[in-house]
Amino acid sequence: MNVIYPFLLYLLLYEPLASVLYRIFHDALGLDLTRLFCLLCSGLFVLVLELDLLRRGPGTYSDFHKIELKNGKALHFPGSILLAVVAGSLLNRGITYLSTRIVSKCFADADATLRGSGLPVLYLATVIVLPLLEEVVFRGILLGRLDERFGRAWGILLSSLLFGLIHFNLIQFLYAFLCGMILSLLVIYNRNLWASVIAHSILNLITILSI
């Protein structure tokens, strides 16, 4: 239950709540607010709940540990993040090439959501809040708890699989699944959740700048 509950909380509350907010703000009140703004509001709410679960544990990677910069490790943290970002960027280029040949309506809808939002909301949501939320859920909580229950390899595989599945389309699934494995290895190597949060944020920023 300590594995299923955090995932179901994210799955059943994050996007459904955003849809309800959109109907309230846009349809009922007539406010000109984008879907991404509603996802941002929903994400902040779910993040508070997931951070409480992260704080209570258990989970191998359930804390934002102090970054170790002594004893020759000063370059390990930024260096590993750089490698993860390079690998993720190469994956993104490959998936982008693939997406020109495999058309997915969900992928097109996600792209339209990003393009239809103002820059402040776009950067706040996709570079700060949503990477933090997803890393707390999938690397902070799920990876750690699946690692403890099934072993490290299965922990990486299953948490990355769940991370891919929540994107609900083939193209984003492939990228999220493979990128989830990279971010999982990054967290395990550094034993620090900030590593994957920073890498995830940079990857999202690169994607936004390319739009």
Side-chain angles (χ1 to χ4, degrees):
M1 191 65 182
N2 67 341
V3 173
I4 298 174
Y5 177 67
F7 177 70
L8 289 180
L9 179 65
Y10 176 91
L11 184 67
L12 300 178
L13 191 57
Y14 170 50
E15 292 217 21
L17 177 59
S19 297
V20 171
L21 290 175
Y22 184 78
R23 292 192 184 97
I24 293 173
F25 292 146
H26 189 270
D27 298 339
L29 300 179
L31 299 177
D32 187 20
L33 298 176
T34 64
R35 175 166 172 75
L36 186 59
F37 177 82
C38 297
L39 286 170
L40 172 61
C41 295
S42 175
L44 285 169
F45 177 72
V46 178
L47 177 60
V48 172
L49 301 179
E50 297 286 3
L51 281 172
D52 182 60
L53 293 177
L54 184 75
R55 178 184 58 82
R56 288 188 284 169
T60 306
Y61 314 105
S62 61
D63 294 315
F64 289 96
H65 300 293
K66 182 179 179 181
I67 301 171
E68 179 59 64
L69 298 177
K70 298 179 180 179
N71 301 322
K73 295 183 178 180
L75 297 179
H76 289 196
F77 185 78
S80 60
I81 291 175
L82 177 60
L83 287 175
V85 169
V86 170
S89 297
L90 292 174
L91 276 175
N92 190 29
R93 289 178 66 88
I95 297 298
T96 300
Y97 176 80
L98 179 64
S99 69
T100 62
R101 286 152 174 76
I102 302 177
V103 179
S104 167
K105 183 180 183 301
C106 291
F107 183 83
D109 290 344
D111 186 62
T113 297
L114 293 180
R115 292 177 184 273
S117 303
L119 288 180
V121 172
L122 180 62
Y123 283 103
L124 181 60
T126 60
V127 179
I128 299 176
V129 175
L130 300 186
L132 180 57
L133 171 60
E134 290 177 347
E135 292 310 308
V136 165
V137 174
F138 292 96
R139 258 62 69 182
I141 300 176
L142 294 182
L143 173 62
R145 296 182 184 183
L146 289 167
D147 183 329
E148 290 181 343
R149 177 166 295 189
F150 302 110
R152 179 160 296 174
W154 280 108
I156 294 172
L157 181 64
L158 292 174
S159 63
S160 300
L161 180 63
L162 291 173
F163 183 55
L165 289 174
I166 57 101
H167 289 82
F168 298 115
N169 71 83
L170 176 61
I171 295 171
Q172 287 189 309
F173 167 79
L174 291 173
Y175 176 67
F177 172 66
L178 295 173
C179 205
M181 297 185 73
I182 293 172
L183 294 172
S184 295
L185 292 172
L186 183 63
V187 168
I188 291 170
Y189 176 76
N190 288 282
R191 300 192 69 81
N192 188 302
L193 197 55
W194 280 119
S196 65
V197 171
I198 293 171
H200 194 155
S201 296
I202 294 173
L203 286 169
N204 281 9
L205 177 61
I206 293 172
T207 299
I208 291 172
L209 294 175
S210 67
I211 295 177

